[in-house]
Amino acid sequence: LFTFEIILEVGSDVVIESLNDLVEALEEGEFSQVESQIKDLVLTEDKLEPYLFWEKGSYTRNCIAHNNEFELLLLCWEPGQKTAVHCHNGQECWIKVVNGEFEEVMYTLDDNDFPKLQLKQTFSETQITSMKNPELFHSLENISSERAITLHLYHKPITECRYVNVKTGEMQLAEMDYYSVNGRLND
């Protein structure tokens, strides 16, 4: 499970039943409550509509909320879209599938910074995967035949990450950006 290193006040009665509840809990630093309730949170496409943006050429990274302590993104995937093999710049993260089916492949790097397969798994609606080890790299692919949606929470916002360039096989650095923020397309 994804764990945050923040102490929660004893007796907290935060109940997370919607995306708004989730954002409020994150903004208030109630990360333990998020962790304990996120698997039961039901998110439907109609409730996520303001953040749903699709692109034929690549999956989209749509920022729902962020501050110095977290980043909550909704990723929208066309069939077959896939990330590069990448890291999270040392940040913990978890991913919840809203709809669709995904293959995740996790890697470590060998002495030459070449990815070495560690684990391959599939996960689908309502399932959660996480990355806590800063040494891990991974890739995600929408393996369903329709559009798919994933919700991503990063312990701290990720402004850049290392990835494997598929053309050269070399490790490179990418600056991260959003396709949309708060339901508005970026220029």
Side-chain angles (χ1 to χ4, degrees), residues 6 24 42-43 56 62 65 79 85 87 90-91 96 106 116-117 132 143 164 177:
I6 293 180
E24 284 179 22
V42 176
L43 298 169
K56 287 283 184 199
N62 304 288
V85 175
C87 70
Q91 297 305 318
K96 178 178 179 127
M106 291 191 183
K116 183 173 141 184
L117 179 68
K132 296 188 291 184
I143 59 173
V164 178
D177 58 0

Side-chain angles (χ1 to χ4, degrees), residues 68-117:
N68 290 335
E69 299 302 319
F70 76 93
E71 178 177 48
L72 185 65
L73 306 179
L74 195 66
L75 273 60
C76 298
W77 309 74
E78 294 285 354
Q81 288 181 336
K82 181 178 183 177
T83 68
V85 175
H86 66 282
C87 70
H88 290 144
N89 205 25
Q91 297 305 318
E92 294 181 24
C93 84
W94 62 248
I95 301 161
K96 178 178 179 127
V97 177
V98 175
N99 64 24
E101 184 175 17
F102 287 81
E103 179 177 81
E104 178 180 40
V105 183
M106 291 191 183
Y107 304 87
T108 55
L109 298 182
D110 66 17
D111 293 338
N112 298 315
D113 275 350
F114 190 80
K116 183 173 141 184
L117 179 68

